[in-house]
Amino acid sequence: MIRKFSALLATVLFAQLSLTAQNGEFLHWVDPFIGTGGHGHTYPGAVAPFGMVQLSPDTRSEGWDGCSGYHRSDSTILGFSHTHLSGTGVPDYADLLVRPLPDPAAEVRPMRFDDEKARPGLYEVRLDGSVAAQLTATSRTGLHRYSFEQAAPGQKVGIRLDLQYRDLLLSHALEQTGEREVTGHRVSRAWAKEQHFYFVVRFSEPIRAMTAPDGATAIAHLWFDLPKNKTIELRVGVSGTSVEQARKNLDAEAPDELNFEQIRSATESLWDRQLGQIVVAGGQEADIVKFYTALYHCFVVPNVWSDADGTYRGMDGSIHRAEGYDHYTVFSLWDTYRTWHPLMTILDPERTEHFVRTFLAQFDQQGRLPVWELAGNETDCMIGYHSVSVIADAYLKGIRGFDAEKALSAMVATASRDARGLKDFRELGFLRGEKERESVSQTLEYAYDDWCIAQMAAAMGKNDVCTEFRRRARGWINLLDPRTGLFRPRMNGGFVDNFDPREVNFHFTEANAWQYGFSAPQEFSLWSRWTRPERLLDSLFSQNSRTTGRDQADITGLIGQYAHGNEPSHHIAYMYNLVGQPWKTRGLVHTILDSLYTDRPDGLSGNEDCGQMSAWFVMSAMGLYPLVPGSPYYALTAPFFSDITLQMPNGRNLRITAPCTDPSCGHVREVRLNGRKLDRMFVTHEEIVAGGTLEFLFGPEPVSFGSVAWPSEPTLCSASFLNDVEPLLVPVPSIEGNKTFRGETEVSILHLFPTAEIRYTTDGSVPTAKSKRYVRPFFLKKNASVKAVALYKGPRGWLSSQVSEAEFRQVVQSRAMRYEKGRYA
């Protein structure tokens, strides 16, 4: 294994020397402190690409802005732990907190720090002016170097190991197992209900004493004779399965034969090779820093979860072995399906296969595909089942290194569960606000996910699956309010009253109706029949940026009611391409890249969210965007740099050029692919990975540089497939009126289809084609259960909606009461 690691080191160093000679040093452009201020929730510590270990300083143990354990505004460090989350909105990890003890008599307290530095693979800081700390990491190990500069000869110095830091400790062990070795584990509960962490620590010096402060069993102080160089080094191997596996990981990746500097150099070389996949030129220095820092953040998560020999802890709590792939953890799918995963289909298709194989193993272990997986735990955070988007996107782009039949079966099984409102969604076509929180957002995202299942089924020739899920995918129609053109929550048979699209409430997920108002781009042509997309887009970006309702910390980076700081808005600027106004897409994208990302610690307008915020920057800076993941197309806009080269794993390069990138240079008038003018505003995945040259040319006037904005939906399923000529799903009628009334109330029934026949009853019976036809509003003067159904005649015959039901209750006025000599009469 030592020879294997050394060979890898030599290969990486040789490859990096070649890249550096051609393109310069990419590490120089990365600033890991970007995102550590504001609400970015990133960390600055040492990590290898996609590494299991994220060795970083901890400055705070609680609070929303302490999710990563670090905030740039803090002035003291509590220690250095081995696991951290990148940009999440919920805290966890911070396993095995380590800190130096420069004096046996000194109080253990937070240490002030200065001279802090960070670059990919290396973190350095000075603590209390007396200890210099350096950290580096391999994939499954963390290396510490502490120089006790102020210690006197003959003085004892120490290292504190803390297993009870931050999360609730369920079980633990901590023991000395050798002259220079300590092992242990901690099982903890936080976001992950049961997270297992096992470790082996090896020291550069013999342990002279091991003490437990105040009798604690989860904290140990290790004491050493001060060596001549005044430096103590630690090598920490970690695992999610066992101490023995942690030892194997340590032996495999950080053997004693390799010193700190060699391992640091190897990790930095891995980073330089990883970052060198994209070479940019022709931009301001701050913009290049923003770009490579964003690319760096794209490569720190997900994290490998399998040990060096493939062993890992599954979602069933059992130990498994990944055969022929690496098993991963930390999937923030509600965020990352939108841009991050599509970016990986270009830059790392093999790892994308591993992600899908990870999902399928997780399906075997828990009976469903993951929603938000963390350390072998399903957190069920956020909504939808967006692993199906990742799988379909990979398959439609020709990434086939997984069992597609099994994948489709897992997708269908996950969508067929009854949990999280799915039963109502299948039966009614939408979620009702009185039964499910975030009903609008859930409906829209279930509809999109089901569209992805239909896409993959169609590509595989599974006509019955395709037809069923294309019908289900139309569920968004039920929530489209024809009066506003926005998606509106429904309760008690009708749209909610007093609708304010700026209001943040429990009907939406971290958003409002404006921010979720454009959430059917996968069926834009159908959605635009009942909306005025151009006017809606203009209104969105020109609205007052103030929201109403509850406070929502995630709604940040506002342009009008567009919120770039949270993911539901991320595709919207590109929808101007779909209405034939690509110059508006270009203007907005440039504004976002220029002003909502900076090279400062608070340089992100929202949580990093495991790479999604950064992936948006990387893709948009290249002038490419996956407007609809699950389809092999990318919307085009002017790039942020004049010269960009993608060096792809297949050995081919795509060069993207633009003579001028500033909006003052004019508008895109033409795009050429390998010298051929494109008559469309998109490119295919196949064209990207084939390589060549993509040229953007400019002119003074705003024009649609292609006559085709997006591919029309292909004929799917089979000859019996009901395409856009027929809606597949007839919306449920909306029964409007005061549901609680005095005297009488007027009832009206709305429907999205002007030609639909509405049949209704007021006695609670189920309406049929023979029930009373709705023609105009009617009045109720007593309690009633109104039910309505819509009948729609399409090219293939009559279709019926599901039944809508509304309960109307009359409030009976009580007899007036008068007070007479101390009694009621």
Side-chain angles (χ1 to χ4, degrees):
M1 184 56 71
I2 295 171
R3 290 194 300 272
K4 187 178 288 186
F5 185 90
S6 299
L8 173 63
L9 172 62
T11 301
V12 169
L13 287 174
F14 177 80
Q16 185 49 47
L17 286 172
S18 301
L19 276 174
T20 302
Q22 297 175 36
N23 306 310
E25 187 181 29
F26 301 103
L27 299 184
H28 170 74
W29 300 108
V30 176
D31 181 358
F33 291 109
I34 294 175
T36 61
H39 305 304
H41 297 182
T42 65
Y43 59 84
V47 60
F50 304 102
M52 181 186 292
V53 168
Q54 310 88 37
L55 183 53
S56 190
D58 291 84
T59 63
R60 59 175 71 179
S61 61
E62 58 187 10
W64 190 61
D65 281 331
C67 287
S68 73
Y70 178 94
H71 199 271
R72 183 63 167 168
S73 64
D74 293 333
S75 59
T76 59
I77 284 176
L78 305 169
F80 306 95
S81 63
H82 291 75
T83 56
H84 294 84
L85 294 173
S86 180
T88 60
V90 183
D92 206 326
Y93 276 14
D95 295 291
L96 185 58
L97 186 75
V98 175
R99 60 160 288 164
L101 301 171
D103 185 342
E107 177 188 1
V108 177
R109 54 171 176 72
M111 306 179 80
R112 299 193 66 82
F113 67 94
D114 58 17
D115 199 20
E116 190 179 25
K117 301 173 185 175
R119 61 187 284 169
L122 179 66
Y123 174 85
E124 301 176 285
V125 70
R126 187 176 302 278
L127 301 169
D128 279 348
S130 64
V131 180
Q134 291 181 300
L135 311 175
T136 191
T138 71
S139 184
R140 300 172 180 87
T141 72
L143 282 76
H144 308 238
R145 176 187 280 171
Y146 298 108
S147 297
F148 297 86
E149 299 170 335
Q150 304 300 317
Q155 179 181 327
K156 287 285 191 297
V157 293
I159 299 294
R160 176 184 171 98
L161 305 180
D162 185 349
L163 293 180
Q164 68 184 23
Y165 176 69
R166 196 157 83 164
D167 296 347
L168 175 65
L169 201 59
L170 301 179
S171 70
H172 70 279
L174 185 60
E175 60 179 326
Q176 184 176 347
T177 50
E179 182 185 39
R180 301 169 185 249
E181 183 181 275
V182 171
T183 65
H185 78 269
R186 97 164 179 167
V187 181
S188 59
R189 174 178 295 158
W191 194 4
K193 297 179 182 66
E194 185 180 307
Q195 185 217 337
H196 287 251
F197 178 85
Y198 300 84
F199 62 91
V200 173
V201 185
R202 288 187 188 146
F203 300 90
S204 60
E205 301 295 322
I207 303 168
R208 297 307 183 193
M210 179 173 172
T211 61
D214 300 323
T217 60
I219 299 175
H221 289 178
L222 291 304
W223 298 102
F224 306 86
D225 294 332
L226 183 70
K228 289 182 179 180
N229 65 2
K230 297 188 176 183
T231 298
I232 302 289
E233 292 187 3
L234 293 68
R235 298 177 183 227
V236 183
V238 310
S239 170
T241 56
S242 69
V243 167
E244 184 56 35
Q245 286 299 129
R247 180 176 284 110
K248 289 180 180 179
N249 290 340
L250 182 57
D251 291 340
E253 296 187 3
D256 292 340
E257 288 80 0
L258 296 174
N259 63 35
F260 185 98
E261 293 301 333
Q262 288 174 311
I263 292 172
R264 174 196 58 77
S265 178
T267 300
E268 289 185 346
S269 296
L270 284 171
W271 271 117
D272 220 33
R273 185 172 65 173
Q274 194 86 46
L275 296 165
Q277 290 183 265
I278 307 178
V279 182
V280 301
Q284 299 294 318
E285 180 174 331
D287 294 330
I288 296 175
V289 169
K290 290 192 299 184
F291 181 87
Y292 280 107
T293 303
L295 192 58
Y296 167 77
H297 281 142
C298 288
F299 295 139
V300 300
V301 70
N303 308 117
V304 66
W305 183 235
S306 50
D307 296 320
D309 66 358
T311 303
Y312 70 93
R313 184 175 299 275
M315 299 186 79
D316 56 0
S318 300
I319 305 303
H320 302 267
R321 186 180 295 273
E323 299 289 351
Y325 78 102
D326 290 326
H327 195 87
Y328 285 85
T329 187
V330 188
F331 287 101
S332 183
L333 291 164
W334 182 82
D335 307 291
T336 56
Y337 87 85
R338 304 168 195 267
T339 316
W340 186 89
H341 276 287
L343 175 62
M344 290 300 113
T345 65
I346 298 172
L347 297 182
D348 207 335
E350 181 180 6
R351 204 180 305 267
T352 295
E353 291 178 359
H354 292 199
F355 296 153
V356 175
R357 294 185 67 179
T358 296
F359 296 163
L360 297 183
Q362 291 169 339
F363 173 80
D364 288 340
Q365 294 154 18
Q366 68 167 353
R368 57 184 171 123
L369 291 168
V371 174
W372 212 124
E373 182 274 345
L374 173 61
N377 290 254
E378 178 57 78
T379 69
D380 272 322
C381 188
M382 309 311 292
I383 60 174
Y385 32 86
H386 297 305
S387 45
V388 306
S389 171
V390 177
I391 298 170
D393 194 57
Y395 189 84
L396 270 292
K397 291 174 178 175
I399 298 173
R400 304 289 171 87
F402 56 89
D403 187 336
E405 294 284 345
K406 179 178 179 179
L408 184 62
S409 295
M411 295 158 83
V412 171
T414 300
S416 301
R417 299 170 65 243
D418 288 344
R420 296 166 68 95
L422 275 169
K423 187 173 187 291
D424 275 0
F425 178 74
R426 286 197 305 274
E427 295 177 354
L428 195 58
F430 68 98
L431 300 186
R432 293 171 285 185
E434 64 264 42
K435 293 192 66 175
E436 292 288 334
R437 291 181 60 84
E438 303 174 358
S439 59
V440 177
S441 299
Q442 288 205 71
T443 296
L444 295 171
E445 303 220 20
Y446 282 153
Y448 163 74
D449 286 337
D450 286 354
W451 179 87
C452 289
I453 295 175
Q455 289 285 99
M456 185 160 169
M460 295 175 63
K462 306 291 186 180
N463 297 329
D464 54 342
V465 176
C466 178
T467 302
E468 169 63 14
F469 279 87
R470 282 288 284 172
R471 181 193 63 78
R472 285 177 49 160
R474 291 280 164 85
W476 57 267
I477 295 177
N478 284 304
L479 299 185
L480 188 58
D481 177 10
R483 295 162 294 188
T484 64
L486 296 173
F487 297 110
R488 185 169 177 174
R490 294 180 66 156
M491 298 178 69
N492 195 11
F495 289 113
V496 295
D497 297 328
N498 303 315
F499 177 60
D500 177 2
R502 296 179 301 153
E503 183 181 359
V504 180
N505 54 44
F506 71 90
H507 296 295
F508 298 90
T509 302
E510 298 180 0
N512 60 23
W514 272 119
Q515 288 139 25
Y516 260 99
F518 303 84
S519 294
Q522 72 275 11
E523 298 199 274
F524 176 81
S525 59
L526 188 62
W527 171 75
S528 61
R529 291 184 185 183
W530 300 293
T531 59
R532 303 179 70 175
E534 178 188 343
R535 177 175 290 185
L536 275 179
L537 286 164
D538 287 345
S539 295
L540 171 74
F541 288 104
S542 62
Q543 288 283 313
N544 185 303
S545 292
R546 187 177 66 86
T547 59
T548 62
R550 73 182 185 199
D551 290 333
Q552 182 71 49
D554 303 272
I555 300 177
T556 53
L558 288 159
I559 303 175
Q561 283 292 308
Y562 172 90
H564 191 72
N566 212 20
E567 282 67 25
S569 290
H570 275 189
H571 66 288
I572 299 177
Y574 288 89
M575 292 183 74
Y576 272 115
N577 277 20
L578 304 185
V579 298
Q581 296 183 333
W583 58 91
K584 291 184 179 178
T585 288
R586 189 270 180 100
L588 285 164
V589 169
H590 190 280
T591 296
I592 294 167
L593 291 169
D594 188 52
S595 63
L596 294 182
Y597 293 83
T598 75
D599 61 347
R600 300 187 300 269
D602 62 351
L604 297 177
S605 58
N607 296 359
E608 167 62 15
D609 284 318
C610 297
Q612 169 60 24
M613 285 290 289
S614 288
W616 193 98
F617 188 96
V618 171
M619 291 294 291
S620 296
M622 294 191 295
L624 308 169
Y625 194 77
L627 178 57
V628 184
S631 61
Y633 310 110
Y634 301 83
L636 292 172
T637 194
F640 201 51
F641 300 94
S642 60
D643 200 309
I644 304 165
T645 300
L646 278 78
Q647 303 181 114
M648 290 170 287
N650 62 8
R652 297 174 180 173
N653 295 343
L654 176 68
R655 187 180 182 192
I656 304 169
T657 66
C660 181
T661 59
D662 191 271
S664 64
C665 300
H667 306 277
V668 177
R669 64 173 173 82
E670 186 178 307
V671 179
R672 293 183 176 272
L673 179 62
N674 297 326
R676 177 176 55 86
K677 179 181 177 181
L678 289 180
D679 190 29
R680 47 186 161 91
M681 288 181 272
F682 64 91
V683 292
T684 68
H685 184 79
E686 184 179 15
E687 288 168 338
I688 289 175
V689 299
T693 302
L694 188 65
E695 302 172 87
F696 288 80
L697 305 176
F698 295 85
E701 300 298 327
V703 295
S704 292
F705 54 82
S707 61
V708 181
W710 196 252
S712 57
E713 292 184 14
T715 300
L716 295 176
C717 305
S718 68
S720 64
F721 168 70
L722 306 177
N723 60 24
D724 279 348
V725 174
E726 198 157 8
L728 294 179
L729 182 147
V730 179
V732 176
S734 178
I735 303 170
E736 305 291 310
N738 293 326
K739 304 299 169 58
T740 303
F741 63 96
R742 296 175 185 268
E744 64 179 17
T745 187
E746 184 180 72
V747 179
S748 60
I749 305 177
L750 301 180
H751 200 267
L752 197 61
F753 298 172
T755 59
E757 283 188 12
I758 308 298
R759 303 286 177 167
Y760 73 98
T761 63
T762 58
D763 60 2
S765 61
V766 177
T768 67
K770 295 182 179 180
S771 298
K772 189 171 184 178
R773 182 174 182 178
Y774 175 78
V775 178
R776 62 180 61 87
F778 57 91
F779 289 87
L780 294 175
K781 296 184 178 181
K782 61 180 181 179
N783 294 347
S785 178
V786 179
K787 294 185 178 182
V789 67
L791 306 175
Y792 176 80
K793 188 174 184 180
R796 301 175 187 272
W798 286 93
L799 296 173
S800 174
S801 74
Q802 296 295 325
V803 175
S804 181
E805 179 177 359
E807 296 294 331
F808 288 83
R809 290 291 175 262
Q810 185 184 51
V811 176
V812 179
Q813 286 183 313
S814 60
R815 183 166 55 92
M817 305 175 70
R818 59 188 178 86
Y819 185 76
E820 183 177 296
K821 292 185 178 180
R823 67 182 179 86
Y824 289 101

